[in-house]
Amino acid sequence: VSFDPTRDFSPVTLLGSSAVYFLVNTDYAARNSVNTLADLVRLAKAKPGQLNYGTTGPSSTTSMTMALFENRTAIDVVPITYKGTVPVAMALLAGEIHIMIGTPEQVQSQLSAGKLKALAVTSAKRLPIMKEVPTVAEAANLPGFTSTVWYGLLAAPRTPPDIVARLNKEGIAAIRSPSLRSQLDNIGFEIAGSSPEEFAEFIRQDTANQGAIVKMMN
């Protein structure tokens, strides 16, 4: 790309992040005794290269998360590419794929109906929306494992500091307002709010972390 994300914007504030869930078809899980994420890892190790997961491409959150997970657990899972998250969910329901990594709102009705099973969430702590679902760190004994999609507010390059400060104040007030907070809690969005300096450092660190995963994926 023609810009540097760590240099060519004026960071305002980190708004928050969304985690994703490791999901399996309930019938498939029952047939293969997959009740936890650790069970899924054991199955994958017993059948290297035979399990697959749905993805929308190599740069997607799904593929990045699975690459990190494969590296940490020493398993080999095959990616199957679809043209969107809806086709991926349909494929999981139909038994065409074994695993999906998705957000709760994408499959909430299927989860409620018992057709899909959430094994773990990729956030650092359990989310209020599904407190019964453990984190990946808990479920697969992988300390420090996280994989989230973050959202932030950035301004144009060289925006005057007083304007950045005003945007920061108003942005944090908006994201933490009770009316918006209740809506975001319902979709598992973790609210943040940070100083411009903290957000700039967050972007630098995240760029390094994601870059390491990209290199690992070749």
Side-chain angles (χ1 to χ4, degrees):
V1 294
S2 60
F3 61 88
D4 183 340
T6 63
R7 183 192 64 210
D8 294 340
F9 297 97
S10 296
V12 176
T13 186
L14 175 66
L15 297 174
S17 61
S18 289
V20 287
Y21 289 82
F22 277 76
L23 303 157
V24 293
N25 182 295
T26 302
D27 290 340
Y28 176 81
R31 292 196 306 272
N32 292 275
S33 300
V34 176
N35 297 308
T36 67
L37 190 60
D39 291 336
L40 185 65
V41 171
R42 283 194 288 271
L43 182 63
K45 287 185 174 181
K47 298 181 177 182
Q50 295 181 48
L51 269 64
N52 57 46
Y53 70 97
T55 176
T56 56
S59 63
S60 66
T61 301
T62 293
S63 288
M64 296 283 280
T65 300
M66 185 58 81
L68 181 60
F69 187 70
E70 286 181 280
N71 179 262
R72 292 286 301 272
T73 58
I75 62 173
D76 178 19
V77 186
V78 179
I80 306 295
T81 304
Y82 292 84
K83 292 184 177 180
T85 54
V86 172
V88 172
M90 296 298 291
L92 185 64
L93 285 166
E96 295 175 9
I97 57 175
H98 302 117
I99 308 163
M100 174 183 177
I101 296 176
T103 58
E105 65 268 23
Q106 290 171 338
V107 292
Q108 192 61 57
S109 60
Q110 290 87 357
L111 285 169
S112 298
K115 296 179 180 179
L116 297 181
K117 181 180 181 68
L119 299 178
V121 63
T122 60
S123 52
K125 58 184 179 181
R126 297 189 186 198
L127 300 184
I129 187 175
M130 294 175 71
K131 292 181 179 179
E132 74 282 3
V133 178
T135 65
V136 172
E138 291 177 293
N141 192 25
L142 297 176
F145 186 103
T146 60
S147 179
T148 59
V149 180
W150 60 262
Y151 302 84
L153 187 62
L154 300 105
R158 297 174 296 281
T159 298
D162 59 329
I163 294 179
V164 171
R166 175 68 186 277
L167 290 170
N168 176 269
K169 178 183 177 181
E170 301 295 348
I172 292 176
I175 198 71
R176 293 179 178 175
S177 65
S179 58
L180 186 55
R181 178 185 288 272
S182 63
Q183 295 180 55
L184 295 176
D185 284 346
N186 287 335
I187 59 172
F189 186 94
E190 289 193 276
I191 294 170
S194 65
S195 71
E197 295 77 18
E198 289 170 337
F199 188 27
E201 179 56 31
F202 175 87
I203 293 173
R204 284 191 289 269
Q205 187 61 54
D206 191 64
T207 299
N209 292 342
Q210 298 300 324
I213 298 173
V214 170
K215 289 179 180 178
M216 183 180 69
M217 294 172 70
N218 194 30

